[in-house]
Amino acid sequence: MRMYDIIKKKRDGGELSTDEINYFVENYTNGKIPDYQISALLMAIYLNKMNKRETLDLTKAMVYSGDIVDLSKINGLKVDKHSTGGVGDTTTIVLGPMVAACGVPFVKMSGRGLGHTGGTLDKLESIKDFRVELSTEEFINNTNDINISICSQTANITPADKKLYALRDVTATVENISLIASSIMSKKLAIESDAIILDVKVGSGAFMKNLDDAINLGKEMVEIGTGYGRETIALVTNMDEPLGNAIGNALEVKEAIDVLKGNGPDDLHELCIKLGSILLLLAKRVKNEDEAKFLLEETIRNRSAYEKFIELVKYQDGDINYVKNPELLPKANYIIEVKSKDEGYVKALNAEEIGKCALALGAGRETMDSKIDLSAGIILNKKVDDKVEIGDILAYIHANNIDKAKEVEKKIKEIFIIGDKNKESKKLIYGIITKDEVEIF
Ligand code: URA
Ligand code: CA
């Protein structure tokens, strides 16, 4: 087989065979095919697209390029969750303990934050001594003991995706649905859970800026998961504004604890209930969604989800006093109030721009090597559709650098668009995608 012929076939609009896909993935991963040929192929795929069969074959080839995390030693049907990335998205830290408290094993290998989006591992490291690196054996044993484990990817998972993603990033070939879907799903499928819920974000802070693209991405990912033999469902949810009120690592852990105790922001709570109810259904823990919602709400009311989070922290060597008393979490030296100079209603609150402000304060990473300030971030005091009077506090900036905080204060005033009430009130969940249908609410 010749790489030249594979590039030419795709350039001319042809369909690549399973063998051809396996050939280029395998030989690119082991260094036998140079970047320039794969760059040309990626551009041909970007322009001429791949069909469902090709996309599934590409995903499988990437899964098999590295280690597969065998979780068959975990008892019961185990569930996994993935978000396509957002701002202030604290769901994993709330959802995991809720689902685990219902008796369903929650297995999650998470990532770190990059750019304007945060990462669960960084957030959890705000808790003193919390260990995100677990061996596969610990991951399995912990889950069997307490139904939950959240750790980094220690195994060599999907090396083909790592190389391809890095190349796509510099060749303007990221934004292709087949390439994004196969990239995300290969990483999920290499970890052998029984069911996956995908939270496809749409809006200013997300990869997908419009609903049609988000639905198409969700459909493609559900098809890949299902085609691979894994129960997969996707929700399409709002990332036009940040989720919850807190953006920043320690601030989001505090927010997660608030939700687990029943005091957190409604949107974060509602999203976790919806994601959780699908997971309980997929794990066959309940017969219908009402029963699932009742059980999940019960874990908040009776504090079992909160207790589960403490158990998780204990099992991963974290100091549980940081959960019991969130005042101990890293704290910024300055807290600055951002006040409104206008009155009316919040019309928009661009999530990506808020994410960039948090990044500028040190809450995020510019590159994979940057160090982050766990205490820095933003607490939103107003969100889209809220009424605002002149002088009302829009947000609080938590910072250790006063000059940066002043710059961010100016920016936040510009990011809040205040005016007449929006004609339609905002939506949190736009729709659900299963293997059989797309339902838009
Ligand atoms: N996230 C991924 O992991 N891969 C993509 O291609 C895009 C987003
Ligand atoms: Ca949040």
Side-chain angles (χ1 to χ4, degrees):
M1 211 175 287
R2 290 200 320 154
M3 192 57 209
Y4 178 91
D5 298 323
I6 296 176
I7 298 170
K8 184 160 175 291
K9 191 174 186 186
K10 193 38 94 179
R11 181 199 70 188
D12 295 340
E15 180 183 335
L16 301 181
S17 70
T18 306
D19 285 347
E20 286 164 336
I21 291 171
N22 287 338
Y23 173 84
F24 88 74
V25 172
E26 185 183 328
N27 288 293
Y28 182 52
T29 311
N30 66 24
K32 288 190 187 145
I33 299 174
D35 283 352
Y36 52 82
Q37 282 189 307
I38 300 296
S39 302
L41 177 65
L42 287 170
M43 187 55 81
I45 291 173
Y46 179 91
L47 294 171
N48 289 329
K49 308 202 167 47
M50 290 200 301
N51 66 22
K52 292 188 195 346
R53 200 221 85 246
E54 290 174 291
T55 308
L56 182 57
D57 281 342
L58 174 61
T59 311
K60 284 184 182 165
M62 293 200 290
V63 170
Y64 290 111
S65 71
D67 295 342
I68 290 176
V69 182
D70 176 359
L71 298 179
S72 58
K73 290 210 179 83
I74 296 178
N75 311 317
L77 293 178
K78 42 216 168 280
V79 299
D80 191 1
K81 170 253 176 187
H82 183 79
S83 149
T84 59
V87 177
D89 182 0
T90 326
T91 45
T92 296
I93 301 175
V94 180
L95 175 70
M98 285 169 78
V99 168
C102 292
V104 172
F106 184 84
V107 289
K108 174 85 177 127
M109 291 198 174
S110 270
R112 298 203 175 266
L114 188 60
H116 70 277
T117 65
T120 300
L121 300 181
D122 298 323
K123 294 171 198 176
L124 288 171
E125 281 179 348
S126 314
I127 298 167
K128 186 167 164 279
D129 299 332
F130 190 98
R131 188 160 60 94
V132 299
E133 270 164 30
L134 301 180
S135 66
T136 304
E137 205 184 349
E138 285 175 303
F139 187 71
I140 291 169
N141 290 343
N142 289 6
T143 312
N144 273 332
D145 277 0
I146 62 168
N147 278 333
I148 183 167
S149 214
I150 303 177
C151 75
S152 63
Q153 288 174 11
T154 36
N156 175 33
I157 288 171
T158 60
D161 173 64
K162 284 197 189 83
K163 279 189 87 170
L164 286 168
Y165 196 17
L167 192 58
R168 285 165 56 211
D169 213 17
V170 293
T171 56
T173 51
V174 169
E175 297 92 346
N176 169 280
I177 299 257
S178 293
L179 293 176
I180 296 175
S182 57
S183 165
I184 293 175
M185 289 307 288
S186 66
K187 286 172 281 211
K188 287 282 104 182
L189 296 169
I191 299 160
E192 295 188 314
S193 64
D194 296 298
I196 305 167
I197 179 83
L198 300 164
D199 183 4
V200 181
K201 304 286 190 191
V202 58
S204 62
F207 237 102
M208 297 291 140
K209 305 289 181 199
N210 71 66
L211 189 57
D212 283 346
D213 287 347
I215 291 170
N216 285 332
L217 176 62
K219 271 165 73 175
E220 193 89 37
M221 291 197 291
V222 169
E223 266 160 23
I224 293 171
T226 309
Y228 197 89
R230 197 78 58 89
E231 295 271 2
T232 312
I233 289 183
L235 283 185
V236 180
T237 73
N238 185 335
M239 193 34 77
D240 260 328
E241 65 175 347
L243 187 65
N245 300 330
I247 303 105
N249 298 284
L251 297 172
E252 286 187 52
V253 169
K254 163 106 178 25
E255 176 169 78
I257 295 168
D258 287 342
V259 180
L260 289 170
K261 286 175 153 177
N263 311 321
D266 290 342
D267 58 349
L268 181 54
H269 173 93
E270 187 187 335
L271 182 57
C272 291
I273 295 283
K274 183 72 185 177
L275 292 164
S277 57
I278 296 166
L279 287 179
L280 295 196
L281 280 165
L282 285 172
K284 307 197 187 339
R285 173 69 181 79
V286 291
K287 291 198 186 60
N288 56 53
E289 193 166 339
D290 285 344
E291 189 188 349
K293 285 188 170 160
F294 177 81
L295 277 186
L296 290 160
E297 294 286 8
E298 196 60 23
T299 68
I300 303 286
R301 272 193 296 270
N302 65 17
R303 290 283 171 102
S304 59
Y306 170 73
E307 294 296 337
K308 185 56 75 182
F309 183 54
I310 291 183
E311 225 172 5
L312 169 74
V313 171
K314 200 187 282 174
Y315 261 72
Q316 297 192 211
D317 300 336
D319 185 342
I320 60 169
N321 290 315
Y322 278 59
V323 182
K324 291 183 172 167
N325 180 10
E327 286 299 303
L328 293 172
L329 289 165
K331 260 208 217 94
N333 290 328
Y334 306 102
I335 299 177
I336 293 179
E337 296 173 348
V338 183
K339 290 191 175 157
S340 178
K341 36 185 187 18
D342 304 306
E343 61 180 7
Y345 290 85
V346 179
K347 294 179 76 65
L349 176 50
N350 186 299
E352 180 168 358
E353 295 302 322
I354 292 285
K356 284 186 188 158
C357 287
L359 178 65
L361 295 169
R365 284 192 185 76
E366 300 274 1
T367 71
M368 234 26 233
D369 306 318
S370 353
K371 221 176 126 34
I372 58 177
D373 179 346
L374 293 170
S375 69
I378 296 161
I379 301 280
L380 300 170
N381 194 45
K382 298 282 179 188
K383 295 201 51 180
V384 171
D385 294 343
D386 284 351
K387 194 170 189 316
V388 177
E389 307 283 353
I390 292 171
D392 276 357
I393 296 171
L394 300 172
Y396 300 90
I397 297 168
H398 289 240
N400 289 308
N401 178 322
I402 194 73
D403 297 329
K404 287 240 171 77
K406 293 279 179 205
E407 275 170 40
V408 165
E409 183 188 3
K410 259 188 236 136
K411 283 214 185 98
I412 292 181
K413 284 184 177 168
E414 289 163 14
I415 295 168
F416 269 88
I417 308 294
I418 294 169
D420 295 338
K421 199 170 181 169
N422 285 337
K423 285 201 182 73
E424 276 181 41
S425 46
K426 67 184 175 191
K427 256 193 184 164
L428 177 63
I429 300 168
Y430 293 105
I432 182 168
I433 300 164
T434 65
K435 63 182 191 299
D436 303 315
E437 62 173 350
V438 178
E439 188 189 343
I440 300 301
F441 304 136

